[in-house]
Amino acid sequence: MPIALLALAIGAFGIGTTEFVMMGVLPEIARDLGVSIPAAGNFITAYALGVVVGAPLLTAVAVRLSRKTMLLSMMGVFTISNALFAFAPSLETGMAFRFLAGLPHGAFFGAGAVVAATLVGPKRRAKAVSMMFLGLTLANVIGVPAGTLLGQQVGWRATFGVVALIGVVALAAIAKLVPHQRPTANTSLRGELSAFRKPQVWFALAIVTFGLGGGFASLSYVAPVLTDVSGYDGTSVTLLLSLAGLGMTVGNVLGGRLADRFPLPGLYGALTALAVLLLTFTVTANSKIGAAVTLFLVGMASFMVGPMMQARIMEKAGGAKSMVSAAVQSAFNIANSIGAYLGGLAIAGGFGLVSPNVVGAMLAVVGITLTVASSLFDRRRTPAPAPTVEDDEPDIALVRVSRPEPVAA
């Protein structure tokens, strides 16, 4: 694989760390800023909102830039906003800086996925994209636990200061390793937006929203499940979350390989496995070993979907890849919000801490249904084979013209 993918993975690692480490340092932030934990939780919402808004907006603004320039610009905004957040004096300014930090998220991954795909041959594109997203999943294995520990021991500001330093490293790596790619001559905002006229693009975004929403419904509330249902103590939760992150990493790599060889069967398999595993988790959550094993498998099945859908949506978009690729990140964060919201409703409704897993299984089934619909739509639009020449023309070789025999004198 090209060395340039390492630079993209470093950027993805920094983005993944800043997105998910917030959940681990919320108590420290709330205490330092003098606000409640639910109020500090608005930092998560502000970041997600920045992703949803920034993915299409910044991609549209920079549509005529080279993709390398786009990557450097987005990583620059990421680095500066995280550095500013590390010095935020209040909840209000912190919210503004977290929103700013979320803006480049989708645009970076959108441009990065296209760059990764162009660095390799057609049969290795999904694998290349998964290599970039490997940085995102490794953030859950290394970045989030380490950032949480640093925040607990030194302070949450140190955590985001280190995230900003990761951004500096990513900037240097992109500048050095990613080759310059000229913008396509016919690239335009209208051309990029034209991809959204294709029903298959919307099918793909819906599959991401509901399919991944199923995994997020479970993972959003896994910490109280592990402590109150499985019987783990609080100090073990960080290690178990790393186990889930390891599952995500394995799933990301496996999903990239399957997407290149068996795209639709792989997607069916991942979503079906996710639905079954989430239902299984309602039972295995009562066992320490069962909960740990199932948590790993849920993380794996959830993140198998990501590279598959990233590759599929770029294929369906045709030449206008940047905008739809960024839109996948918006769908990813909408999935996070929907899964967490519906899972929270189930708990608030008195169905218990494991009930978000049932909600997640239902969302995964919706994802499977949408995949079936997308597949049927593909078949319906596949043109019938053109008739051959032999079908259109008479076989003149078999036609014999009778002529009168000459009369003998």
Side-chain angles (χ1 to χ4, degrees), residues 50-390:
V51 176
V52 173
V53 172
L57 181 63
L58 293 183
T59 302
V61 169
V63 69
R64 290 192 177 276
L65 295 178
S66 72
R67 293 194 177 106
K68 181 171 182 176
T69 302
M70 177 71 161
L71 290 170
L72 289 170
S73 300
M74 295 304 99
M75 192 49 57
V77 174
F78 167 85
T79 302
I80 292 170
S81 56
N82 276 281
L84 290 171
F85 181 68
F87 293 97
S90 66
L91 177 68
E92 292 74 21
T93 53
M95 291 273 288
F97 294 145
R98 280 298 283 176
F99 176 81
L100 184 64
L103 286 175
H105 179 127
F108 178 88
F109 279 113
V114 178
V115 169
T118 58
L119 292 173
V120 297
K123 294 184 178 180
R124 304 173 70 195
R125 286 176 180 170
K127 183 179 178 182
V129 172
S130 74
M131 290 298 100
M132 179 189 70
F133 279 91
L134 186 63
L136 181 65
T137 56
L138 283 175
N140 288 281
V141 181
I142 302 171
V144 172
T148 300
L149 183 62
L150 180 64
Q152 292 170 344
Q153 299 299 319
V154 181
W156 68 271
R157 298 181 188 276
T159 298
F160 289 95
V162 170
V163 169
L165 289 177
I166 295 172
V168 173
V169 174
L171 275 169
I174 293 168
K176 179 70 175 178
L177 301 177
V178 174
H180 179 76
Q181 296 180 337
R182 294 180 180 178
T184 307
N186 59 354
T187 299
S188 67
L189 178 58
R190 179 178 295 180
E192 290 289 336
L193 291 175
S194 67
F196 291 96
R197 298 175 186 170
K198 301 178 180 180
Q200 285 290 22
V201 168
W202 289 104
F203 271 124
L205 293 174
I207 292 168
V208 171
T209 299
F210 290 98
L212 282 175
F216 283 123
S218 173
L219 295 173
S220 296
Y221 301 97
V222 72
V225 169
L226 293 173
T227 54
D228 297 356
V229 180
S230 305
Y232 283 101
D233 57 53
T235 57
S236 302
V237 171
T238 300
L239 292 176
L240 289 165
L241 291 178
S242 297
L243 182 63
L246 182 60
M248 295 174 191
T249 303
V250 173
N252 178 70
V253 174
L254 185 58
R257 292 180 180 274
L258 287 175
D260 282 327
R261 298 184 180 183
F262 313 104
L264 269 179
L267 185 57
Y268 281 127
L271 289 172
T272 302
L274 179 60
V276 172
L277 286 166
L278 289 172
L279 289 177
T280 303
F281 202 11
T282 62
V283 178
T284 58
N286 295 287
S287 162
K288 285 187 174 182
I289 295 177
V293 172
T294 311
L295 180 60
F296 173 85
L297 294 174
V298 166
M300 184 178 74
S302 296
F303 273 69
M304 282 176 65
V305 177
M308 292 179 182
M309 294 313 305
Q310 192 79 48
R312 183 171 176 80
I313 200 168
M314 287 195 295
E315 174 196 345
K316 299 303 178 184
K321 294 180 172 66
S322 296
M323 186 70 79
V324 294
S325 186
V328 172
Q329 299 306 310
S330 294
F332 183 94
N333 278 268
I334 293 171
N336 194 348
S337 301
I338 288 177
Y341 176 72
L342 294 179
L345 285 182
I347 295 174
F351 294 100
L353 287 174
V354 297
S355 61
N357 293 290
V358 178
V359 173
M362 294 170 65
L363 290 173
V365 170
V366 174
I368 295 170
T369 305
L370 289 167
T371 304
V372 172
S374 176
S375 178
L376 292 175
F377 187 85
D378 261 348
R379 292 181 184 179
R380 192 182 72 179
R381 292 179 62 89
T382 302
T388 60
V389 173
E390 288 77 5

